[in-house]
């Protein structure tokens, strides 16, 4: 009886959590819908409406894809098989558990380790974590190339939707800046009394201040993520550098600015600004710099600025990087 009550209570709490997680999204949508009404129906300046609707549609499209594109999870080949799982759970000695994971991971393209140098394993999902994969406590699952969990889109930002999230920030900034720049002159006219006061005055006033407030916030967030993309890092990797066989290396996935951009936006530049998936790879493995180069700060510094001529030397596929790692160990 008590067990059933606890399960019912747990389910109720999870249901409430799911409902409450949509509150930030509802708030954003409400503000956007109000801004649309205030701009189109209250301000209603015909010469601005065409560009406004183009920007609005791009912003809405990217926001939709950022919300409803599910985060990608590791495939079944990273799931610990039943036999190894039984051995792992029944084994009490940590060193033997590490050996079980190491033997299984030999068949996988896994090159990052924990801070103590062992295989990264998720006890909740029962999977060996692919490189750059992390467990999201909010979503309750492991997410490929996890960047962070964003409450404003109620989604985990990772490999499958990071491009959409960046475009959402960019078009949200454009939307706010366009509203602020076109409304400012009418704000001045109302302020100086050149236009008679009416109920539209309050919409113009709030449009200006709300758009400026969101623009400033988005500018810092978008600038930070541009910096991360330029270095081929995630938010989590910016706070905690990935660890390889040779040790931690914050630039372990840095391929040069051009190739870093292509990792997120793809090689077809005409699709960079459109919210369709064009990122390179499968999210399970990523090209890395050679270990010898990563350990040489002079080479790393040269390649950071000279990504045009040395991209092929900077990055190697997982097969070649595996050979380098095996030699070093």
């Amino acid at each position: 009886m008590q067990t059933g009550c606890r399960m019912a209570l747990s389910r109720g709490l999870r249901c409430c959590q799911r409902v409450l997680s949509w509150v930030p999204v509802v708030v954003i949508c409400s503000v956007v819908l109000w801004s649309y009404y205030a701009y189109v129906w209250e301000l209603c300046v015909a010469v601005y409406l065409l560009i406004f609707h183009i920007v609005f549609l791009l912003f809405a499209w990217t926001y939709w894809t950022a919300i409803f594109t599910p985060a990608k999870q590791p495939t079944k080949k990273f799931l610990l098989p039943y036999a190894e799982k039984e051995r792992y759970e029944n084994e009490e000695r940590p060193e033997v558990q590490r050996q079980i994971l190491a033997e299984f991971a030999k068949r996988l393209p896994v090159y990052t380790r924990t801070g103590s140098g062992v295989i990264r394993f998720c006890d909740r999902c029962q999977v060996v974590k692919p490189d750059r994969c992390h467990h999201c406590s909010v979503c309750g699952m492991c997410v490929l190339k996890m960047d962070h969990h964003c409450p404003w889109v109620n989604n985990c930002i990772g490999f499958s939707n990071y491009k959409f999230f960046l475009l959402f920030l960019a078009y949200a900034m454009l939307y706010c800046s366009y509203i602020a720049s076109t409304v400012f002159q009418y704000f001045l006219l109302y302020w100086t009394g050149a236009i008679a006061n009416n109920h539209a005055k309050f919409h113009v006033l709030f449009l200006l201040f709300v758009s400026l407030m969101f623009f400033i916030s988005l500018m810092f967030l978008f600038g930070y993520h541009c910096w991360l993309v330029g270095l081929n890092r995630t938010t989590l990797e910016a706070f905690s550098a990935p660890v390889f066989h040779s040790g931690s290396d914050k630039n372990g996935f840095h391929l040069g600015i051009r190739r870093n951009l292509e990792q997120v936006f793809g090689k077809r530049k005409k699709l960079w600004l459109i919210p369709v998936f064009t990122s390179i790879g499968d999210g399970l493995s990523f090209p890395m710099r050679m270990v010898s180069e990563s350990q040489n700060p002079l080479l790393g510094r040269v390649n950071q600025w000279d990504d045009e001529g040395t991209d092929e030397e900077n990055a190697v596929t997982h097969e070649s990087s595996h050979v380098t790692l095996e030699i070093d160990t």
Side-chain angles (χ1 to χ4, degrees):
M1 181 68 178
Q2 292 181 349
T3 304
C5 291
R6 289 176 182 175
M7 291 179 62
L9 180 61
S10 177
R11 290 175 182 174
L13 291 175
R14 286 198 299 268
C15 182
C16 292
Q17 183 181 8
R18 292 192 189 100
V19 173
L20 292 175
S21 65
W22 285 100
V23 171
V25 176
V26 172
V27 171
I28 294 296
C29 291
S30 300
V31 172
V32 171
L33 290 175
W34 165 78
S35 68
Y36 182 88
Y37 164 79
Y39 196 93
V40 175
W41 296 100
E42 294 295 339
L43 188 61
C44 193
V45 181
V47 70
Y48 297 140
L49 291 183
L50 177 60
I51 298 178
F52 171 81
H53 279 94
I54 294 174
V55 175
F56 176 80
L57 289 175
L58 288 171
F59 165 61
W61 187 8
T62 54
Y63 191 42
W64 176 275
T65 54
I67 294 174
F68 294 106
T69 301
K72 195 172 182 181
Q73 303 179 60
T75 57
K76 291 183 179 180
K77 73 175 183 178
F78 289 86
L79 185 66
L80 200 63
Y82 180 79
E84 278 83 354
K85 180 181 176 181
E86 287 291 319
R87 289 177 54 204
Y88 181 83
E89 292 179 347
N90 295 330
E91 182 59 59
E92 297 181 356
R93 292 169 294 177
E95 63 275 9
V96 179
Q97 288 183 324
R98 290 195 293 266
Q99 183 61 33
I100 294 172
L101 295 178
E103 291 175 358
F104 174 66
K106 288 180 180 179
R107 294 170 277 173
L108 302 172
V110 175
Y111 305 103
T112 55
R113 300 291 185 264
T114 65
S116 57
V118 300
I119 298 296
R120 300 167 63 243
F121 179 73
C122 180
D123 289 316
R124 282 168 285 188
C125 298
Q126 295 291 300
V127 296
V128 171
K129 295 180 183 178
D131 295 342
R132 316 185 82 174
C133 175
H134 296 274
H135 185 88
C136 177
S137 59
V138 179
C139 297
M141 64 183 186
C142 286
V143 177
L144 297 182
K145 196 187 176 183
M146 179 178 173
D147 188 88
H148 69 288
H149 184 89
C150 180
W152 300 109
V153 299
N154 191 29
N155 201 357
C156 208
I157 306 302
F159 173 77
S160 62
N161 57 8
Y162 188 55
K163 176 189 174 182
F164 306 149
F165 176 73
L166 290 175
L167 291 179
F168 156 63
L169 295 180
Y171 285 124
M173 282 180 56
L174 181 61
Y175 182 71
C176 292
S177 62
Y178 184 79
I179 289 178
S181 60
T182 54
V183 164
F184 183 70
Q185 58 179 320
Y186 297 98
F187 168 78
L188 292 178
L189 291 175
Y190 278 119
W191 186 265
T192 58
I195 297 180
N197 291 337
N198 54 42
H199 65 281
K201 174 182 179 179
F202 298 99
H203 288 287
V204 171
L205 177 66
F206 284 108
L207 271 175
L208 179 63
F209 283 101
V210 171
S211 59
L212 285 176
M213 178 183 67
F214 276 98
F215 175 80
I216 294 172
S217 302
L218 289 166
M219 179 179 63
F220 287 105
L221 183 59
F222 182 68
Y224 175 69
H225 279 279
C226 287
W227 176 73
L228 291 177
V229 172
L231 296 175
N232 203 349
R233 296 179 195 169
T234 64
T235 299
L236 294 175
E237 291 168 352
F239 287 95
S240 179
V243 179
F244 300 89
H245 284 278
S246 57
S248 63
D249 183 3
K250 62 182 180 180
N251 292 320
F253 297 104
H254 181 51
L255 310 174
I257 294 177
R258 179 176 62 83
R259 294 191 65 188
N260 291 344
L261 288 171
E262 290 176 349
Q263 286 288 302
V264 177
F265 294 99
K267 295 186 177 182
R268 301 177 64 183
K269 294 183 179 180
K270 62 182 180 181
L271 298 178
W272 278 17
L273 301 180
I274 301 176
V276 294
F277 184 80
T278 55
S279 301
I280 295 177
D282 56 6
L284 298 170
S285 59
F286 300 89
M288 298 176 293
R289 297 198 308 169
M290 293 180 65
V291 173
S292 58
E293 177 188 320
S294 302
Q295 294 174 337
N296 189 329
L298 294 178
L299 290 177
R301 186 172 302 176
V302 169
N303 288 325
Q304 180 177 353
W305 299 104
D306 189 19
D307 54 82
E308 289 294 332
T310 59
D311 277 341
E312 296 301 323
E313 299 174 5
N314 291 349
V316 292
T317 60
H318 282 288
E319 288 77 15
S320 59
S321 63
H322 179 67
V323 173
T324 306
L325 290 168
E326 289 298 322
I327 292 175
D328 288 345
T329 57

